[in-house]
Amino acid sequence: MDQKAMYQLSYGLFVLTSAFEGKDSGCIINTGIQVTSEPNRISIAVNKANFTRELVEKSGRFNLSVLSEKASFDTFRHFGFQSGRDVDKFAGYQDCKRSANGLYVVTAGTNAFLSATVEQAIDLGSHTLFIAAVDDMELLSQTPSATYAYYQSNIKPKPEQKPVSGKTAWQCTVCGYIYEGEELPPDFICPVCKHPASDFEKITV
Ligand code: FE
């Protein structure tokens, strides 16, 4: 079984935002999809490690800002590579506005946003699957949406490190960070994007 077959699935990329008791946060997800059209419902699957997931669970509301091909790596770094438990991601952040439901949407490097109210939350172990009714939406630009493949080939910076030839190294598939060594420790966490060892692949040069 070749696990790389999973990479052939196509995904969009989104900034998921929510708020509860005056605390706002947001994170990057690639799991936003429309699941029914009448009524218009979407689903999102969010890792339990994400602080924003807790805000969605507690408030029952969220916004999904659709990242476009003009999204900068800084947007991914800002919302994806740090936790809302440690930092207030909207403190001093300029490229956002409040939508009618009072939650933030990201206005730079995005082409639309959807506002949604949760109807069902399904516990999937590592993730929660939320099924939500779309209450509001707005088109922000005509720039094409960024797919995960587009992020991989055009937005993610090429790694500055080059592994020594002939040696085994492990590369983070999310941000490109390279760990040099025969074996990657199973509890290794990427120092750049905080993704686990399971998101690394072995490379030999
Ligand atoms: Fe990484």
Side-chain angles (χ1 to χ4, degrees):
M1 187 165 74
D2 188 346
Q3 295 287 345
K4 285 203 169 87
M6 293 303 290
Y7 297 167
Q8 305 297 64
L9 288 176
S10 176
Y11 297 93
L13 286 162
F14 313 92
V15 183
L16 169 70
T17 46
S18 190
F20 185 69
E21 291 181 341
K23 195 158 169 108
D24 289 279
S25 199
C27 67
I28 304 279
I29 63 168
N30 64 352
T31 53
I33 49 173
Q34 185 179 23
V35 288
T36 61
S37 53
E38 295 285 340
N40 185 11
R41 290 191 189 98
I42 56 174
S43 72
I44 54 167
V46 193
N47 194 303
K48 288 182 182 171
N50 286 325
F51 177 62
T52 307
R53 191 209 65 87
E54 289 179 34
L55 301 179
V56 174
E57 187 166 67
K58 287 173 178 162
S59 70
R61 294 178 310 145
F62 64 85
N63 283 343
L64 212 53
S65 301
V66 183
L67 288 159
S68 78
E69 292 184 353
K70 288 200 177 136
S72 71
F73 187 64
D74 275 346
T75 302
F76 287 90
R77 195 171 13 226
H78 186 81
F79 288 102
F81 298 178
Q82 55 184 353
S83 174
R85 287 192 185 85
D86 309 321
V87 290
D88 178 353
K89 296 185 190 178
F90 285 99
Y93 190 76
Q94 302 289 326
D95 299 324
C96 58
K97 66 175 185 181
R98 299 247 181 216
S99 59
N101 64 1
L103 303 178
Y104 277 121
V105 294
V106 174
T107 52
T110 52
N111 60 18
F113 74 82
L114 308 177
S115 297
T117 301
V118 174
E119 292 183 341
Q120 288 182 59
I122 301 165
D123 189 335
L124 298 178
S126 61
H127 289 63
T128 305
L129 178 69
F130 295 101
I131 295 167
V134 177
D135 315 308
D136 193 14
M137 57 183 113
E138 192 177 317
L139 203 56
L140 300 173
S141 90
Q142 295 292 340
T143 308
S145 300
T147 60
Y148 193 60
Y150 186 89
Y151 166 80
Q152 288 287 345
S153 48
N154 297 289
I155 299 176
K156 182 173 86 175
K158 303 284 175 268
E160 289 169 14
Q161 304 159 267
K162 284 273 177 279
V164 181
S165 71
K167 286 200 172 163
T168 302
W170 298 78
Q171 184 165 30
C172 177
T173 57
V174 177
C175 75
Y177 174 82
I178 290 171
Y179 173 92
E180 288 179 21
E182 272 307 305
E183 294 300 329
L184 182 72
D187 59 351
F188 190 76
I189 302 288
C190 177
V192 177
C193 74
K194 317 296 181 209
H195 276 246
S198 57
D199 284 320
F200 280 71
E201 63 181 12
K202 198 173 192 173
I203 53 169
T204 38
V205 184

